[in-house]
Each structure stands twice: as C-alpha cells, then as structure tokens.
Amino acid sequence: MVRVSIPLVGFLLLCCLASVTRAETLLKYKDPKQPLNVRIRDLLSRMTLAEKIGQMVQLDRVAATPEIMRDYSATPQDWIQMVNGFQNGSLSSRLGIPMIYGIDAVHGHNNVYKATVFPHNVGLGATRDPHLVKRIGSATALEVRATGINYVFAPCIAVCRDPRWGRCYESYSEDPTIVRKMTEIIPGLQGDAPKKGVPYIGGRDKVAACAKHFVGDGGTVKGIDENNTVIDYHGLLSIHMPGYYHSIIKGVSTIMVSYSSWNGRKMHANHDLVTKFLKDTLNFRGFVISDWEGVDRITSPARSNYTYSVLKGISAGIDMLMLPYNHTEFIDIVTSLVKSKAIPISRINDAVRRILKVKFILGLFENPLADQTFLDQLGSQAHRDLAREAVRKSLVLLKNGENADSPVLPLPKNTSRILVAGTHANNLGYQCGGWTLTWQGLRGNNNSEGTTILSGISTAVDPSTEIIYSESPNADFVKANNFSYAIVVVGEPPYAEMAGDNLNLTIPEPGLSTITNVCGSVKCVVVIVSGRPLVIEPYLSRIDALVAAWLPGTEGQGVADVIFGDYGFTGKLPRTWFKTVDQLPMNVGDDHYDPLFPFGFGLTTEPAKSS
Ligand SMILES: *[C@@H]1O[C@H](CO)[C@@H](O)[C@H](O)[C@H]1NC(C)=O
Ligand SMILES: *[C@@H]1O[C@H](CO)[C@@H](O)[C@H](O)[C@H]1NC(C)=O
Ligand SMILES: *[C@@H]1O[C@H](CO)[C@@H](O)[C@H](O)[C@H]1NC(C)=O
Ligand SMILES: *[C@@H]1O[C@H](CO)[C@@H](O)[C@H](O)[C@H]1NC(C)=O
Ligand SMILES: *[C@@H]1O[C@H](CO)[C@@H](O)[C@H](O)[C@H]1NC(C)=O
Ligand SMILES: *[C@@H]1O[C@H](CO)[C@@H](O)[C@H](O)[C@H]1NC(C)=O
Ligand SMILES: *[C@@H]1O[C@H](CO)[C@@H](O)[C@H](O)[C@H]1NC(C)=O
Ligand SMILES: *[C@@H]1O[C@H](CO)[C@@H](O)[C@H](O)[C@H]1NC(C)=O
C-alpha cells in the first residue's frame, strides 16, 4: 500500500516526433511567457475526451515497477532514471503533457534508502515550533528532488482525537490550533506563496504538497481507521477544518480525500464537503485527489458497483483518482458516463483544468526531466543536523525525580558504569516507526542509515564511562552490577494505518518486564518510543524519570543531547496522556478531563554547565 503514483501516460500515441517539434513554437500552452490561464485554456481546447480522462488517472507505481521498492539500496540515480523513464512516456504522447509523480514522504523522504528520517508529526507537534517544521519541509523537498520526484502526499493535517487510531502519530496534535500552525510545513515544501490562497510551487528545489485527509480522518469512532466520524457540523468545522483553511491560504496545491465517513456518509462521495465547501466556500483552486483505491471503497464491499463509485466520486468533486489496478476499465466507465451525460463535461473540464494548473506551476512543461542537481541533498549532514535538532525539541519530560528538589536529569556523563536496556534502545526501525522504507516500517538496523539511541548515548558519555547494553535484563543481573543508573528505552513496534489500531495501548512485552526488572533495582530513566501516549500509570511510581520520545527517526543522537544536558528539555505534550484506556476519547477542553499528564504538560531542564 505504498502510495506512489504515476498518471496514465502515452495511451494515445498519435503523432510523429518531427511534426511536434515543428509545431511547438506555435502552441500557446508550451510558451512560458503566456499567462497561466491562457496556457490552460489553449491546452484544454486541444484535448480529446480520452486525453482528458487520462489526466485524471494516477496509476500506482508498484504496478509499474515493483523492483525498485523491493530493493532498499536503490540509489537516487536509480530513482531519477525510473522517474525519467515514466516521464519520457508522457512526453512522447500526442500533446506531450508531462506527468506529476507523487510519493508518501511523510517524515522526510522515507521510502528512500539513506534519506534523513525526521520525527513523525506527533513529535513535531511537541516542539510547538512551526518555523522548525517549515525548515523540515524545505529539507524534505530537497531530498525528494534528489530522486527526481516532484510531488509529496504530505502533510497529514489530521486532528487525532483518539490515540487508539493507528495513524495518530501522523497527526501533529489533538488540538486544532497546533495542527493549523504546523501547516507551516507547506511553505517549506512548496515555497512561500506570494498571493494568499493561490496554489504555488516556488521552483525546482520545491515540490507540490498534499494536505490530507479531507476531512475528519482523525475523529473516527474508537479511532478505528477509515471508519465513521460522528460529529455535528460545528464540531467538524471547528476541530477538523481549520487546517484546510490555513493550508489553502498558504497555497497548498493538492488535497487528498479521506477514506473515512462523516456521520455515515463516505467522504469520497461527499459533494457538499468536497465541492460546495472545499472548492466553492474555501475557494480551493488546486486539485483534489482520491486516496489509494478510495473511490472503489465508496461501496461496501469495495467495487461492488464500480460504475456507481466512479460516478459518485467524480460528481463529488474528486479530480484525480489513484487507481491501483485497472485504468482501462476506469476510462471506459468515465467515457460512457460522460456520453450518457451522467457526468457533465464541465465537471471533467474542471478536473483537468485544476490538474494542468498544478503541472504548469510546477514548471513541468519547461523542466519535465529530473537531473542530478540535488543529488547530494539526500541524507545530507545539514538535514541530519536539522533532524537531530527536531528530536531534541520534540522530547517531553514527564517526570524528573520525586520533586523539583531532586532532579534525575540531566544525567552525568562521567560515571563508572551505566546500563542501557530495552527493545527500542538499539533499533533504528523501531525508532523511525511506520512509513519507513516499507509501509509498516522496519524491525532492525539493517535498512536505514542513522544513529540509534544507544549509539547516541555511547557518543555522549565520557570515554571512561562503561556502558553495558542488555535488551531485556533480569532483576538479578541489574542488582549484581552496581550500575550508577539505567536508561530503559521501550515502546511500540512500528505500524501504519489500520495495522496500528489498538484498543489497549499497553507497552508490549518484553517492554513492561524490562521496566519492572530494572526500575526499583537502580535509578532509572525510562524513554518511551511510541506514536502516542501508552498506559504507564501503574509503573510510574517506580520510574525515576520519564521521557516521551515519540518516533524520533534516524537521528537518535538528539535523545542523548537532552538526557545528558547538552540541551534542556523544552517539549510540551501535543496530546493528553490518559490514565486508562476507558477514559478515551479524552481531549483537552472536555468536561470529564482527568488526565495523567494534561495536554501541554512538559517539565523543563536547563542545559548542564559545560560537562
Ligand atoms: C528519455 O528520452 C531521452 C530522449 O529520447 C533519452 O535520451 C533518455 O535516455 C531517456 N531517459 C530514460 C530514463 O528513459
Ligand atoms: C466501522 O467499523 C465497523 C467495525 O469494524 C464496521 O462494521 C463499519 O462498517 C465501519 N464503518 C465505516 C463507515 O467504515
Ligand atoms: C450500478 O450503478 C449505476 C450508476 O449508479 C447504476 O446505473 C446501475 O444500475 C448499478 N448497477 C447495479 C447492478 O446495481
Ligand atoms: C480491466 O477492465 C477491463 C474492462 O472492464 C476488463 O476487460 C479487464 O479484464 C480488466 N483487467 C484486469 C487486469 O482486471
Ligand atoms: C571522569 O572521571 C574519572 C574518574 O573519576 C576521572 O579520572 C576523569 O578525569 C573524568 N573525566 C572528565 C572528562 O572529567
Ligand atoms: C533486515 O533484517 C530483518 C530482521 O533481521 C530481516 O528479516 C530482513 O530480511 C533484513 N532485510 C534486508 C534487506 O537485509
Ligand atoms: C559501586 O559503584 C560506586 C560508584 O558508582 C562505588 O563507589 C562503589 O564502591 C561500588 N560498589 C561496589 C560493590 O562495587
Ligand atoms: C493490544 O492490542 C494489540 C492490537 O490489537 C494486540 O496486538 C495486543 O496483543 C493487545 N495487547 C494486550 C495486552 O491485550
């Protein structure tokens, strides 16, 4: 389910190259000096119905070239060659309309080996730093361009209202105000829009962004992925909509529709919200894209009447459909729906106009092919430093000794012997979470380049400090070794989408027994690596210091930077930390609010004096 897509290309190869070349100077749409609207109108007037419908299709790349995804070590040059191969096909079609190529770069360019992996959005929400997030957007755009790609299916501006949802870590916060502020990633990805509310992409070092998933994806019942969001219109507008309003103001060029339903109606079929509200009221001028197979799932079971689904989806206002399987069937169906006037041609023209607009502002007609310009941006030191800064700022200190007079953190770097324990201490895959090289993420250190939390600790301490690493030590071992202190790093395994839905939110074994075995026997700092708050209250009294590290990504050194006092703790909870799961959903502002740690909580420390 890696959503990487290419538009349908070259299904009508009608004319020879020579005549295209000769006619080129005459074609207005190819002339960058013409105003945008003139170019769009000119091109649209030349297109056949089949060519128009072809523009509305994105094929899943997996269908085209599975091998590059299977090979984790594909180089940026391999990616560029693949993208250019697709683009060559588009350019050789009758009108030479270039394709737009999208990828799920949701925490850095996460599908690509050796890319910088930034903290997932929940951690960025803890930083409360929109400018940092904007810089991450710029860095991500450069890394994506390094592989010849020009479109990202990000940011996710879901407002996760229930941490039982498997996508909660893709949400910056339960608070719409924080989510709205973090739309600053859009000018990072696309550039600063000179004109408010007009789709904008600022140059070859920028990419088209995609605000997703419109709308209410984070509000489903019990956090069940793709399920039903039950809320009144006012609630929808005040909680789930502000992020879209602000994304549009900042010039977002595309918006993806949510699989979920609102009060029982599938969003992919919701004309009132997609057309009347998003396009007509909020005045969104870019294109609306379906989620992967999203239109197929309008019916339950999916595709039980595909003609019906296509009719409902396009009529709702979806402009581009992500089609994993059968585009010929889709084109036949849309053609007959247009011929029978079930879909007016004006709807098709509206969709194609929006798609062409984004392709023009991306500069694709002038620069369709990727080159090597940004090759050295992938995983660059500057980006790794930025990710490390983001990790530092994302850490939330939940407990630091019994009271303010007896702080445990920062830890001394120079001591005799320390214990590092836990499943997540030396595991890059765990630390990066889902959407890292594979859809569900990795479970080990073999596929990503980066620094684990353990190796960050090793680098931070004095060379004379002895580090003993044991993934799940028993209590006798801990007692026998006279450790000065222990750092226990535990949490959730990686997951994505519905595979992460979880009704109990407990730390899986051997995480809990590691806490129990270590804490109590020695002074212990527990670092939780997770996409969301987890059940911790029963263990809290034996834990000396507790840190929420979220899903920090490849730069684990950022954790050590703060634990050892090179920097202070500054992060604030982007979510309410519940006591028990039966309290859920529970969000800041609720009447029955009784959290373990409230939204916004976060102890601070001063950087240690030069150690
Ligand atoms: C694309 O086409 C050009 C010119 O026809 C050719 O030189 C180039 O090698 C092709 N690139 C790829 C990746 O197929
Ligand atoms: C929500 O989930 C329930 C339980 O899995 C399922 O029966 C129902 O069809 C889902 N509703 C929607 C709108 O997807
Ligand atoms: C499928 O949907 C189309 C369009 O709404 C409708 O005309 C057709 O009767 C439906 N087919 C079945 C088998 O229900
Ligand atoms: C695609 O759809 C066409 C038309 O409905 C059908 O003939 C063909 O078998 C389908 N192909 C696949 C691979 O499903
Ligand atoms: C660390 O402690 C050891 C033993 O107490 C001492 O010899 C050493 O100088 C210390 N190192 C630093 C950098 O303070
Ligand atoms: C990475 O390690 C995991 C677990 O040891 C293994 O299952 C997987 O095949 C490895 N992947 C590669 C590409 O070596
Ligand atoms: C335990 O370590 C401390 C220093 O951290 C030292 O003073 C003490 O002698 C050690 N005890 C044993 C039994 O090794
Ligand atoms: C919690 O839920 C997850 C996901 O459904 C499941 O895999 C796990 O076994 C559950 N854990 C407990 C302790 O029930």
Side-chain angles (χ1 to χ4, degrees):
M1 265 247 226
V2 177
R3 292 196 210 98
V4 187
S5 338
I6 54 166
L8 180 64
V9 292
F11 73 99
L12 281 179
L13 298 173
L14 291 179
C15 85
C16 63
L17 216 54
S19 65
V20 173
T21 316
R22 209 156 26 84
E24 228 164 62
T25 48
L26 307 173
L27 301 178
K28 274 190 191 162
Y29 75 90
K30 292 201 170 173
D31 179 1
K33 291 201 275 301
Q34 295 291 331
L36 180 61
N37 285 340
V38 172
R39 298 181 81 184
I40 295 171
R41 205 180 313 130
D42 179 62
L43 179 49
L44 197 68
S45 72
R46 297 172 194 277
M47 294 171 77
T48 64
L49 178 60
E51 284 167 335
K52 288 177 182 175
I53 298 170
Q55 286 296 308
M56 296 172 69
V57 177
Q58 288 238 326
L59 285 181
D60 192 75
R61 183 196 49 163
V62 178
T65 57
E67 62 281 356
I68 196 162
M69 278 313 286
R70 288 201 204 115
D71 178 8
Y72 297 129
S73 58
T75 65
Q77 287 94 334
D78 297 335
W79 285 86
I80 287 178
Q81 219 182 351
M82 181 193 75
V83 176
N84 283 347
F86 292 148
Q87 194 62 284
N88 270 6
S90 315
L91 297 175
S92 62
S93 64
R94 189 178 73 94
L95 294 164
I97 304 175
M99 63 156 192
I100 179 170
Y101 184 96
I103 193 161
D104 278 298
V106 300
H107 58 146
H109 197 7
N110 48 65
N111 285 301
V112 175
Y113 187 58
K114 292 189 176 172
T116 310
V117 177
F118 292 92
H120 267 298
N121 287 353
V122 65
L124 299 182
T127 69
R128 301 293 203 274
D129 187 344
H131 184 65
L132 171 74
V133 169
K134 182 179 180 183
R135 288 156 63 213
I136 290 173
S138 302
T140 302
L142 287 168
E143 297 213 7
V144 169
R145 283 289 190 172
T147 56
I149 298 170
N150 47 37
Y151 180 23
V152 296
F153 299 129
C156 177
I157 55 168
V159 181
C160 172
R161 301 291 283 177
D162 193 322
R164 291 174 291 187
W165 186 34
R167 304 193 80 154
C168 202
Y169 65 78
E170 297 185 60
S171 165
Y172 294 107
S173 177
E174 72 191 32
D175 174 19
T177 306
I178 292 176
V179 173
R180 163 166 84 62
K181 289 185 176 158
M182 293 306 175
T183 59
E184 270 304 287
I185 196 168
I186 292 169
L189 290 163
Q190 298 193 338
D192 287 300
K195 213 170 151 203
K196 278 188 181 171
V198 178
Y200 176 78
I201 298 141
R204 297 197 71 187
D205 56 345
K206 296 293 176 187
V207 294
C210 180
K212 67 187 189 183
H213 310 80
F214 185 81
V215 60
D217 51 351
T220 57
V221 177
K222 291 188 187 167
I224 299 170
D225 192 39
E226 305 182 9
N227 210 259
N228 192 18
T229 295
V230 181
I231 194 168
D232 64 18
Y233 190 60
H234 173 76
L236 188 78
L237 257 48
S238 58
I239 293 173
H240 299 285
M241 201 63 86
Y244 290 94
Y245 177 67
H246 286 266
S247 297
I248 293 167
I249 298 274
K250 291 173 183 178
V252 76
S253 48
T254 81
I255 289 177
M256 189 186 293
V257 180
S258 179
Y259 286 123
S260 59
S261 301
W262 175 47
N263 294 337
R265 272 175 78 191
K266 292 275 184 188
M267 278 307 306
H268 278 264
N270 196 318
H271 179 266
D272 286 339
L273 287 174
V274 177
T275 295
K276 283 200 191 152
F277 195 80
L278 181 62
K279 290 182 173 179
D280 296 347
T281 306
L282 294 185
N283 211 20
F284 174 58
R285 290 287 171 259
F287 70 75
V288 174
I289 188 166
S290 79
D291 207 331
W292 190 91
E293 214 191 357
V295 165
D296 311 44
R297 299 187 198 174
I298 285 174
T299 56
S300 178
R303 285 183 149 255
S304 50
N305 183 344
Y306 191 49
T307 303
Y308 172 83
S309 295
V310 168
L311 173 63
K312 293 301 270 187
I314 293 178
S315 303
I318 293 170
D319 303 312
M320 189 180 272
L321 286 84
M322 244 191 261
L323 297 186
Y325 309 121
N326 196 338
H327 62 269
T328 41
E329 183 185 18
F330 170 80
I331 288 169
D332 290 349
I333 289 174
V334 181
T335 304
S336 66
L337 287 170
V338 171
K339 296 218 158 118
S340 72
K341 299 202 158 54
I343 297 178
I345 187 69
S346 57
R347 175 71 270 275
I348 303 295
N349 286 339
D350 172 56
V352 177
R353 237 180 253 122
R354 289 167 179 272
I355 292 161
L356 293 178
K357 172 187 286 180
V358 174
K359 291 184 177 184
F360 278 118
I361 65 174
L362 250 180
L364 282 175
F365 285 79
E366 285 69 57
N367 289 303
L369 293 175
D371 56 32
Q372 319 265 315
T373 311
F374 301 108
L375 223 49
D376 59 353
Q377 296 288 337
L378 192 87
S380 73
Q381 192 56 49
H383 296 168
R384 293 192 183 279
D385 291 346
L386 176 62
R388 179 171 167 181
E389 175 188 347
V391 173
R392 290 196 291 263
K393 293 179 172 172
S394 70
L395 302 179
V396 181
L397 181 57
L398 297 171
K399 180 176 178 180
N400 192 15
E402 284 320 308
N403 55 56
D405 299 331
S406 57
V408 174
L409 296 172
L411 293 172
K413 291 180 175 178
N414 192 7
T415 180
S416 58
R417 181 186 285 170
I418 66 176
L419 171 66
V420 178
T423 41
H424 289 57
N426 190 32
N427 195 316
L428 270 184
Y430 280 18
Q431 168 184 318
C432 290
W435 298 112
T436 309
L437 286 171
T438 73
W439 180 37
Q440 294 295 324
L442 303 171
R443 289 159 187 260
N445 292 330
N446 51 355
N447 294 327
S448 289
E449 192 144 292
T451 307
T452 67
I453 293 172
L454 172 64
S455 85
I457 292 169
S458 308
T459 307
V461 297
D462 191 82
S464 65
T465 300
E466 186 187 2
I467 296 177
I468 307 286
Y469 167 60
S470 169
E471 192 172 309
S472 43
N474 61 40
D476 292 340
F477 173 83
V478 179
K479 284 181 196 132
N481 270 282
N482 193 27
F483 295 110
S484 312
Y485 54 81
I487 302 170
V488 178
V489 191
V490 294
E492 294 183 299
Y495 54 78
E497 300 193 50
M498 68 290 282
D501 287 356
N502 187 317
L503 296 175
N504 61 70
L505 296 181
T506 52
I507 296 171
E509 285 299 349
L512 285 179
S513 46
T514 305
I515 294 178
T516 314
N517 292 344
V518 176
C519 302
S521 302
V522 60
K523 183 157 52 166
C524 84
V525 177
V526 172
V527 178
I528 299 185
V529 173
S530 67
R532 48 196 163 190
L534 299 173
V535 175
I536 198 69
E537 191 188 29
Y539 309 89
L540 195 57
S541 61
R542 68 171 74 203
I543 294 171
D544 298 291
L546 179 64
V547 176
W550 315 110
L551 298 167
T554 47
E555 305 314 305
Q557 194 71 50
V559 176
D561 284 344
V562 182
I563 286 184
F564 292 99
D566 291 329
Y567 293 82
F569 278 92
T570 54
K572 303 287 174 211
L573 280 182
R575 312 201 53 80
T576 297
W577 203 295
F578 58 88
K579 292 176 176 164
T580 65
V581 283
D582 12 291
Q583 293 179 299
L584 299 174
M586 177 173 62
N587 291 288
V588 59
D590 287 358
D591 294 339
H592 59 285
Y593 201 62
D594 178 27
L596 181 61
F597 302 109
F599 169 85
F601 182 78
L603 302 170
T604 56
T605 57
E606 291 300 318
K609 287 178 200 75
S610 72
S611 39

